[in-house]
Amino acid sequence: MAHPFLNLPSVVAIGLVVGSYLNVVIYRLPRGKSTVGGRSGCPFCGSLIRGWDNLPVLSYLWLRGRCRDCRSPISRRYPLVEVLTASAYALCYSFFGPPWHWILAAIFCSILLVLAFIDLEHLILPDRLTLGGALLGLLLFPWLPWRGSFGDHLVGLGLGPGLLLGLYGLWYALRRAEGLGLGDVKMMATVGAFLGWQGSLLTLFLGTLLALVVALAYMATGRMGLKNKIPFGPFLALGALIALFSLGSTWLDRYLPPLHWG
Ligand SMILES: [Zn+2]
């Protein structure tokens, strides 16, 4: 099912361009700015970014990571998000394949990437993405190549948030401290809507494991204590990405009820 225009190199190019737009969303959404229209400017000197300085990754390299006008450093997040988006899209294309099924996986990956990086910088997960993502997941359900039954995805919508809420309630009862946000709970609704309850469980398991490993590593080096806030969103996002590609392969069927019924 080869397509004359859609092939791995063009999918990577699409990923770089979309990644560049995701950077705009990551910067503007938490600041309450419109994510469409309006040219981007340097956050330090305000000068508008010229067309040739706005190319994914390449511009960062030839500007050597600095604004052309005021020489202020450009965040490394820009090339990083572009490369991550392109890599995720390449994986989506090879797992879910030509000609167009990969686009649904790419949409889910894009939401996860934006959530992860907004949470890293601002410790928030905007409702527009988490609740909007859950709604989008249900709307796209009939076309998801890895989908289970609609019931699987409806249960997934509630299971992850329910389990997290239970965990947070327990944490609150034990420590009388909040420390954990409702954004993560809503983010799990998105994951469940897209991946079903099976993918949701795998995401929670992997996300918690990854977060524990990183938190313990930081504590061991004395760089943080129990009082520090760490964003959970990036770990959930990474867990969900692994879960997505696990559903796209067959090994998971050995451990969980098969999702490929439809
Ligand atoms: Zn500048």
Side-chain angles (χ1 to χ4, degrees), residues 42 45 67 70:
C42 166
C45 68
C67 167
C70 69

Side-chain angles (χ1 to χ4, degrees), residues 119-136:
D119 202 17
L120 268 179
E121 283 178 28
H122 302 275
L123 291 172
I124 54 162
L125 295 160
D127 282 355
R128 269 166 74 183
L129 287 171
T130 54
L131 299 180
L135 187 67
L136 189 66

Side-chain angles (χ1 to χ4, degrees), residues 91-92 95-96 105 108-109 145-147 195 198-203 205-206 237-260:
L91 281 175
C92 290
F95 272 80
F96 301 107
F108 182 50
C109 290
W146 60 85
R147 74 184 183 282
L195 299 185
Q198 297 92 332
S200 185
L201 279 186
L202 187 60
T203 300
F205 172 72
L206 292 171
L238 189 54
L241 283 176
I242 299 172
L244 169 71
F245 294 117
S246 312
L247 296 180
S249 64
T250 49
W251 66 266
L252 195 72
D253 295 348
R254 273 181 271 147
Y255 303 98
L256 288 170
L259 264 178
H260 309 283

